[in-house]
Amino acid sequence: DADVTQTPRNRITKTGKRIMLECSQTKGHDRMYWYRQDPGLGLRLIYYSFDVKDINKGEISDGYSVSRQAQAKFSLSLESAIPNQTALYFCATSVGASGGLGDTQYFGPGTRLTVL
Amino acid sequence: RKEVEQDPGPFNVPEGATVAFNCTYSNSASQSFFWYRQDCRKEPKLLMSVYSSGNEDGRFTAQLNRASQYISLLIRDSKLSDSATYLCVVQRLTGGGNKLTFGTGTQLKVEL
């Protein structure tokens, strides 16, 4: 079974609709992240959470909100979807940097969202 | 200027060839460096970290040049299965914690 799962895997919706993307992990990691990936722009951080009570904005948080329901669950909401939010969304987890080893990201399989 | 820049490619190489990718970063405070691999329509996965002294993992060699602020990835004896997009990732410490910046990726196509 995958360590990081995302639902749904694909979603087509209309402008103005509220959408929730869900992420669950069995890795036991405290840190969770939401990214979006667009052609030519790479992965960009939307929100991140270092534990259940900690939520932080990333570089492109406008138009999005998140909820960390438990250590293992981190959901991303688009309150009123717009076409330029069409993208591939990834959830990721990490254990946190230690000893200069870096903060390796473990990604879920992604959610392909299309906003018409 | 982007914080992390990569040649998007594609690099089309025959099986067995040696291919090298470079990545430049703009922030001299960057501390840690990585290469991730992303297959088409799949999630990125860590390929290897990049250490100051350079490091090797089988057919893959990563180098870091802090003075010139670039990272390289060398793949020897390319296999068809190496076809993927390779993402350069740079990490630095900010007031909000560690910040990872992903490059847009270099696409590699290994052909028969």
Side-chain angles (χ1 to χ4, degrees):
Chain A
D1 287 342
D3 294 322
V4 184
T5 57
Q6 292 183 232
T7 56
R9 295 293 312 279
N10 289 282
R11 181 73 184 267
I12 299 174
T13 191
K14 294 182 178 180
T15 297
K17 294 291 187 181
R18 185 178 188 274
I19 297 296
M20 179 179 287
L21 309 183
E22 301 194 18
C23 176
S24 294
Q25 53 115 346
T26 58
K27 299 187 76 68
H29 292 169
D30 286 328
R31 299 183 174 196
M32 297 187 74
Y33 309 79
W34 276 103
Y35 293 89
R36 66 176 279 176
Q37 188 174 37
D38 300 273
L41 294 177
L43 279 156
R44 292 181 292 166
L45 184 63
I46 305 171
Y47 270 96
Y48 62 103
S49 168
F50 284 175
D51 64 42
V52 175
K53 296 180 181 179
D54 176 75
I55 301 289
N56 303 282
K57 292 183 178 180
E59 58 184 296
I60 52 163
S61 59
D62 287 349
Y64 302 95
S65 63
V66 290
S67 173
R68 185 81 184 268
Q69 301 95 323
Q71 188 212 32
K73 295 184 182 297
F74 192 36
S75 59
L76 175 73
S77 293
L78 287 66
E79 298 301 326
S80 179
I82 55 177
N84 77 0
Q85 291 178 312
T86 293
L88 183 56
Y89 290 83
F90 287 105
C91 173
T93 73
S94 74
V95 70
S98 63
L101 297 178
D103 205 0
T104 300
Q105 307 278 290
Y106 297 88
F107 288 88
T111 295
R112 188 166 296 278
L113 177 66
T114 302
V115 183
L116 301 176
Chain B
R1 182 185 174 188
K2 289 182 181 178
E3 190 165 343
V4 178
E5 296 203 61
Q6 297 182 250
D7 181 343
F11 284 61
N12 297 305
V13 302
E15 201 173 17
T18 295
V19 61
F21 308 136
N22 286 331
C23 165
T24 59
Y25 61 95
S26 61
N27 195 316
S28 59
S30 300
Q31 299 172 305
S32 302
F33 309 90
F34 312 89
W35 285 100
Y36 278 69
R37 170 191 169 130
Q38 185 173 23
D39 293 302
C40 187
R41 297 179 178 272
K42 297 286 184 69
E43 71 272 24
K45 293 183 180 179
L46 180 67
L47 177 66
M48 58 197 303
S49 301
V50 187
Y51 302 124
S52 295
S53 56
N55 49 297
E56 188 174 306
D57 183 2
R59 297 181 293 107
F60 298 83
T61 299
Q63 296 278 353
L64 167 64
N65 185 318
R66 285 190 184 271
S68 301
Q69 295 183 197
Y70 79 81
I71 308 131
S72 64
L73 177 67
L74 181 77
I75 305 175
R76 290 182 299 278
D77 189 22
S78 300
K79 311 292 185 189
L80 293 175
S81 57
D82 293 334
S83 298
T85 296
Y86 292 83
L87 308 177
C88 173
V89 183
V90 172
Q91 179 176 309
R92 61 183 171 89
L93 188 61
T94 69
N98 286 308
K99 180 179 187 293
L100 288 174
T101 302
F102 287 78
T104 53
T106 298
Q107 188 179 11
L108 171 66
K109 295 181 179 179
V110 182
E111 302 164 333
L112 287 171

